[in-house]
Amino acid sequence: QVQLVESGGGLVQAGGSLRLSCAASGRFLSISTMGWYRQASGKQRELVATVTSGGNTNYADSVKGRFAISRDNVKKTVYLQMNSLKPEDAAVYYCNLRNIYYDYWGRGTQVTVSS
């Protein structure tokens, strides 16, 4: 069984920065895509960014140039550096790990951005 534990959320002023971390525990194939999704109140969950085991990244248009995703395969951890935060970035951010065999989710971490 794989567990994903997010950390780093909190309250920040607009224009500020936060760094989210997601540590994976348990056994899983190294060939897995890890990523971040978010869900704002009253909205559907949406992709924020993903990174493959080979380091290829993908970003939602709304965060390009402001957010950066990275992963440490030795530490089994994925990071999301969020800069120039906007009030519309406020949401619960969820960590995801997936490949063709499974799809795991963390419990989420709250990000609040004050204007």
Side-chain angles (χ1 to χ4, degrees), residues 55-115:
N56 294 316
T57 58
N58 180 50
Y59 294 93
D61 288 342
S62 59
V63 306
K64 284 181 181 177
R66 300 188 298 121
F67 291 11
I69 190 170
S70 60
R71 67 189 280 173
D72 185 326
N73 291 326
V74 174
K75 293 183 178 179
K76 299 181 182 180
T77 299
V78 62
Y79 306 95
L80 185 69
Q81 178 66 45
M82 305 187 294
N83 299 324
S84 302
L85 282 160
K86 304 176 181 180
E88 52 262 42
D89 294 318
V92 178
Y93 283 70
Y94 296 91
C95 179
N96 175 259
L97 184 153
R98 66 177 55 174
N99 60 28
I100 61 171
Y101 300 108
Y102 42 70
D103 187 2
Y104 291 108
W105 292 89
R107 292 188 174 186
T109 184
Q110 178 72 50
V111 171
T112 304
V113 184
S114 63
S115 56

